[in-house]
Amino acid sequence: MKLVICEKNIAANRISQILSEGSVKQKKIGAVPVYEFPAQGQEWRVIGLRGHIINLDFPVRYREWWRIAPRNLITVDPEKKVTERGIASALKKLLNNDVSVIVATDFDREGELIGVEAIDLVKKYNENISEIKRAQFSAITKQEIMDAFSQLTEVDYDLSAAGESRQVIDLVWGAVLTRFISLTSNKTGKEFLSIGRVQSPTLALLVEKEKEIQAFVPKPFWRIIASLNKQKAFEADHEEGRFWDEKQVTNIFNKIKDASEAKVKTVAKKTQKEQPPPPFNTTSFIQAASYVRVSASQAMKTAEELYMNGLISYPRTDNTVYPKSLDLDGILTKLKQSEFADDVHDVLTHRRKQPTRGKKKTTDHPPIHPVDVPKTPLKGQSKKVYDLIVRRFLATLSEDAVSETIRATFDVKGETFKAKGYRLIEPRWKKIYTYIKSKEKPLPDLIEGEVITVSKMMLKEDETKPPKRYSQGSLIAKMEELSLGTKSTRHDIINKLYQRKYITFSPFAPTPIAIAVVESMSDCDVVKPKMTAELEKDMDLIAEGKKTLQETIDESREMLAKVMQELEKDKQKIKKNIKEASRKQNTIGTCPKCGEDLLIRMSRRGKRFVGCSGFPKCKNTYPLPQRGMIIKTDKVCEGCDTPIIQVKTKGKKPWEFCLDPECSLKENEKKETNGK
Ligand SMILES: [Zn+2]
Ligand SMILES: [Zn+2]
């Protein structure tokens, strides 16, 4: 019997359909689906895991936070425990026969580790396994799966060791640092704080940017803009651009403000070619997903579903160069049978000689590309993401766009103005990849020496703007540049920062506690990218077979011990900073009874409420809704003098109210509604 182990049930289902050519029966062992069919003169069974079926954790006696100093965890070896018992027992039943096993999980570190976890169980249940092989593929399509199963390879234990080292390192670092910061700041339970190997340097990037924004002092400047006219109106700027001296700009403006004519001095036309963007890898895909307003983690989740359903290639890849073996014509033929038929036609009539290519080339997976067209129309987010991937793919095969820039200068009473026009002559890929809007700015046909009308002269005051905040996409690109995390983890890190209340999504900015945490550790290596980048490099070396799992874990423990030394030295500073920031973040107004601050607090049972910081002297409290985000408004209720707060719940309109449930204004409201 052949037993095929897939990463998930949905993959198991599709792969068994392909291998059996449709003659598959689904059975269940317990609640776990198993697919059965005969092929090549043998019985086949295909089973899907649920990603990791084994979890890594500290032995029970180390789990209580208060009982053990965080630094003592550094040298404790984590234990492996089966978390998916149903799947484990289904595997055990299937192994009662003479079995050869084929691992068909996703082909990367994580997938290899998931496969090796299953192999460890398999070997435990049946010592006489005749053979264990690996099927490697980059897409769940007939061609790829058939090829993978006819050219089976060996399981790559170096690759899985690289995945395992990340698991161990992240568990130990996460536990030690998180317990340290939570215990130090006296924030445990639901509201615990965390520090992490990748998380903290990433948060530091956001804090650094926020401080630049806060420290920014806007500087005023002026511009002179002429509204000119030749058949149609267009604008020209004074050649100086920004004037920093008000007196100087006023003098010039007064000299020309009544001008009615402008003489065309020079006209220069230039045509240029614009190359389509390179194929998508994970990072550029996540960045582009923001064009269709899909967040980083949603983009990855949707892409994984599209992959499992056999519509796109594997979405976790650094590669930006199509391999020679990729059947581009075959994909175009498939896309011809879809709503992209017209775009495919455009590509085929104006196809570039070589597809575009990016800087990164790897051999594990091709860049993200479509592999099939949906049988039933996609909807919502799936459609947006699939369309984006198809359009990008088509763009990479298209000829360059051709555009024209026109630069013209004008004389107005001795002052020079300039205007720039832009128009697309041959849109080519820009017509297909419609997410990047070209700024069409037409200028009339201008002739050197001719005189045209000035319809208006304007003096505009403006000021310099603070640096821009990161977007999720630009943060992920920055993380990649600094080697923080991997293509598979970066979007998760951002989500974790949000869950820990270190950042808000709109605006994408750190909270006061995040700023305090990062500032109080600013001398420590844990908020700098260097150390974590070193560890990422070590993990790459494991995958290449140049370093062992144990060496890397031992080194990471030494690093962590050093980090803890630094942190413990600063313990008092950290404690004080976080306490102040936490108070700032939780203050929502002034107590009407005693004038002290009102704070959002947690009861012993984990319910939130508003309490007075004057406690125990002042025992004033107010109830709070248990769900939604609470936002301070700085408004005070005229009826009861308590602060007015705003509550935002996902999918609902924000809701504003004062804290006192017995406020006289609310009584009136009730009466009014009852009266109606
Ligand atoms: Zn009070
Ligand atoms: Zn009120």
Side-chain angles (χ1 to χ4, degrees):
M1 191 185 93
K2 295 242 187 223
L3 174 63
V4 181
I5 300 175
C6 302
E7 184 134 343
K8 284 181 180 153
N9 177 49
I10 172 170
N13 187 346
R14 278 192 55 83
I15 289 172
S16 56
Q17 295 287 351
I18 293 168
L19 292 174
S20 70
E21 292 175 16
S23 66
V24 64
K25 273 188 214 141
Q26 189 196 317
K27 294 217 169 133
K28 276 197 171 171
I29 302 181
V32 181
V34 177
Y35 304 88
E36 302 185 358
F37 55 91
Q40 302 157 9
Q42 284 211 61
E43 268 307 308
W44 289 63
R45 302 283 182 274
V46 182
I47 184 171
L49 305 172
R50 225 168 260 144
H52 289 285
I53 54 169
I54 284 175
N55 183 32
L56 212 56
D57 202 353
F58 288 111
V60 179
R61 62 182 180 284
Y62 294 104
R63 286 192 205 154
E64 267 181 69
W65 289 27
W66 294 97
R67 282 183 44 192
I68 181 147
R71 115 180 65 79
N72 292 344
L73 281 176
I74 297 176
T75 50
V76 176
D77 280 320
E79 290 175 340
K80 288 182 183 176
K81 221 182 116 190
V82 174
T83 46
E84 297 293 339
R85 295 234 182 99
I87 289 173
S89 70
L91 275 175
K92 198 172 179 180
K93 286 217 176 89
L94 289 167
L95 288 159
N96 283 335
N97 310 294
D98 176 29
V99 169
S100 69
V101 174
I102 300 168
V103 174
T105 49
D106 292 346
F107 175 45
D108 60 12
R109 286 177 197 182
E110 212 62 25
E112 207 73 10
L113 176 58
I114 289 168
V116 167
E117 288 169 3
I119 291 173
D120 287 346
L121 281 185
V122 163
K123 284 187 174 160
K124 204 170 91 187
Y125 296 148
N126 185 342
E127 288 168 357
N128 310 314
I129 297 289
S130 50
E131 196 181 43
I132 298 173
K133 288 283 181 185
R134 177 76 164 110
Q136 293 175 352
F137 45 87
S138 290
I140 309 181
T141 56
K142 188 164 182 190
Q143 189 66 46
E144 283 262 338
I145 295 296
M146 286 307 202
D147 287 353
F149 278 80
S150 64
Q151 305 160 31
L152 293 172
T153 60
E154 302 302 319
V155 173
D156 185 345
Y157 286 92
D158 288 332
L159 197 60
S160 78
E164 190 174 346
S165 68
R166 170 179 311 282
Q167 258 193 349
V168 176
I169 291 170
D170 283 352
L171 174 72
V172 176
W173 282 64
V176 170
L177 295 172
T178 295
R179 289 187 196 189
F180 167 80
I181 190 98
S182 297
L183 293 171
T184 300
S185 59
N186 203 3
K187 280 185 171 293
T188 52
K190 227 172 161 183
E191 296 277 276
F192 75 94
L193 290 178
S194 64
I195 319 180
R197 186 178 64 81
V198 186
Q199 203 190 91
S200 297
T202 304
L203 188 58
L205 292 174
L206 288 162
V207 169
E208 200 183 308
K209 181 71 77 184
E210 197 62 20
K211 286 167 100 179
E212 275 175 41
I213 293 170
Q214 281 169 8
F216 181 81
V217 184
K219 221 172 127 191
F221 65 84
W222 292 263
R223 286 164 47 195
I224 304 177
I225 297 164
S227 180
L228 306 178
N229 202 314
K230 184 191 175 185
Q231 284 128 20
K232 58 184 170 193
F234 64 97
E235 285 186 349
D237 254 36
H238 190 281
E239 65 171 347
E240 185 77 22
R242 294 176 170 189
F243 289 90
W244 301 100
D245 182 351
E246 190 172 12
K247 214 168 140 194
Q248 182 203 5
V249 76
T250 319
N251 280 340
I252 295 176
F253 184 71
N254 285 339
K255 184 175 102 185
I256 57 174
K257 67 179 174 195
D258 299 320
S260 58
E261 287 180 340
K263 188 173 171 194
V264 180
K265 277 168 77 177
T266 59
V267 182
K269 280 187 189 177
K270 208 179 111 199
T271 55
Q272 61 260 323
K273 287 184 169 178
E274 296 179 49
Q275 219 192 52
F280 269 152
N281 67 2
T282 306
T283 304
S284 55
F285 159 66
I286 288 179
Q287 279 193 286
S290 68
Y291 300 149
V292 288
R293 296 178 180 277
V294 174
S295 74
S297 59
Q298 283 298 321
M300 276 318 279
K301 197 174 150 247
T302 310
E304 271 155 30
E305 284 166 14
L306 292 170
Y307 160 73
M308 288 283 179
N309 286 305
L311 293 175
I312 64 164
S313 62
Y314 194 55
R316 298 175 193 271
T317 175
D318 286 325
N319 196 0
T320 53
V321 180
Y322 294 132
K324 281 222 172 67
S325 57
L326 189 65
D327 181 14
L328 300 169
D329 295 317
I331 299 168
L332 287 172
T333 308
K334 277 187 178 159
L335 290 173
K336 241 193 244 173
Q337 313 301 318
S338 73
E339 58 177 299
F340 293 101
D342 290 347
D343 300 302
V344 174
H345 179 79
D346 284 354
V347 171
L348 289 174
T349 38
H350 295 286
R351 187 163 171 181
R352 61 189 305 115
K353 285 199 188 79
Q354 294 293 328
T356 54
R357 51 190 289 151
K359 290 194 188 98
K360 286 200 175 169
K361 188 176 178 183
T362 62
T363 51
D364 47 356
H365 292 285
I368 307 171
H369 64 275
V371 295
D372 208 344
V373 294
K375 304 232 160 28
T376 50
L378 297 170
K379 279 185 206 141
Q381 204 143 281
S382 304
K383 180 168 169 51
K384 282 189 200 166
V385 170
Y386 178 76
D387 287 2
L388 174 68
I389 291 168
V390 171
R391 290 186 182 282
R392 179 70 160 225
F393 171 76
L394 293 174
T396 63
L397 305 180
S398 270
E399 279 180 353
D400 291 350
V402 183
S403 59
E404 181 188 61
T405 340
I406 306 155
R407 289 169 198 275
T409 55
F410 308 87
D411 179 89
V412 181
K413 290 190 171 172
E415 297 294 325
T416 303
F417 281 75
K418 54 185 184 179
K420 190 180 161 192
Y422 171 92
R423 75 187 175 95
L424 262 178
I425 299 170
E426 300 287 359
R428 302 287 186 250
W429 65 272
K430 287 197 165 184
K431 203 178 131 203
I432 298 166
Y433 196 68
T434 43
Y435 309 98
I436 306 171
K437 294 269 177 287
S438 315
K439 283 171 211 135
E440 287 271 334
K441 211 178 142 197
L443 283 187
D445 279 330
L446 296 163
I447 303 155
E448 283 177 14
E450 74 174 322
V451 173
I452 60 172
T453 2
V454 176
S455 38
K456 206 173 165 193
M457 198 57 84
M458 294 166 280
L459 179 61
K460 288 201 169 159
E461 191 179 346
D462 202 348
E463 56 179 34
T464 53
K465 303 281 181 295
K468 262 200 189 149
R469 288 207 162 88
Y470 285 107
S471 64
Q472 290 197 44
S474 64
L475 181 64
I476 282 177
K478 186 77 184 173
M479 288 169 79
E480 185 182 29
E481 183 195 318
L482 298 171
S483 301
L484 292 175
T486 69
K487 56 185 181 280
S488 312
T489 59
R490 290 184 190 115
H491 60 279
D492 278 339
I493 296 289
I494 294 178
N495 237 11
K496 253 182 215 146
L497 290 174
Y498 175 73
Q499 282 160 3
R500 291 275 77 82
K501 295 192 181 152
Y502 278 146
I503 57 170
T504 53
F505 274 155
S506 57
F508 191 54
T511 60
I513 286 189
I515 295 172
V517 167
V518 170
E519 277 183 350
S520 51
M521 297 188 300
S522 59
D523 296 334
C524 174
D525 280 336
V526 76
V527 293
K528 294 171 192 155
K530 192 173 155 262
M531 202 172 49
T532 193
E534 257 170 52
L535 282 172
E536 300 289 350
K537 213 191 280 157
D538 285 345
M539 292 181 221
D540 288 344
L541 291 175
I542 301 178
E544 291 163 22
K546 291 178 185 154
K547 208 162 185 178
T548 67
L549 173 67
Q550 200 54 47
E551 275 172 329
T552 303
I553 292 178
D554 288 345
E555 279 172 30
S556 86
R557 284 180 163 143
E558 278 167 35
M559 277 188 197
L560 181 56
K562 244 169 70 194
V563 165
M564 280 303 288
Q565 249 175 20
E566 293 177 335
L567 286 175
E568 284 180 330
K569 214 173 60 206
D570 284 341
K571 200 168 167 172
Q572 290 314 315
K573 183 172 129 199
I574 295 172
K575 193 172 180 168
K576 188 171 147 266
N577 282 7
I578 294 177
K579 206 173 159 190
E580 281 166 14
S582 167
R583 179 152 172 176
K584 188 173 156 202
Q585 193 164 317
N586 285 319
T587 300
I588 53 168
T590 309
C591 175
K593 294 201 176 147
C594 74
E596 295 280 331
D597 287 341
L598 285 177
L599 306 174
I600 301 175
R601 310 201 114 146
M602 277 293 171
S603 76
R604 285 193 182 278
R605 279 198 237 129
K607 292 253 157 100
R608 62 183 182 192
F609 68 100
V610 172
C612 180
S613 61
F615 185 83
K617 250 199 212 154
C618 172
K619 294 195 171 53
N620 194 12
T621 65
Y622 302 99
L624 276 178
Q626 293 305 311
R627 300 181 63 188
M629 193 165 80
I630 291 172
I631 300 153
K632 189 173 152 183
T633 67
D634 291 322
K635 288 189 256 184
V636 174
C637 175
E638 288 175 6
C640 65
D641 288 336
T642 67
I644 291 176
I645 60 166
Q646 196 188 59
V647 175
K648 257 190 189 165
T649 319
K650 214 181 164 190
K652 283 187 190 161
K653 259 191 174 174
W655 171 44
E656 277 191 11
F657 54 89
C658 67
L659 290 174
D660 189 350
E662 261 126 56
C663 170
S664 57
L665 292 180
K666 282 181 191 154
E667 283 300 309
N668 291 343
E669 237 172 64
K670 261 188 220 159
K671 270 177 213 156
E672 271 171 35
T673 21
N674 287 345
K676 270 175 198 164

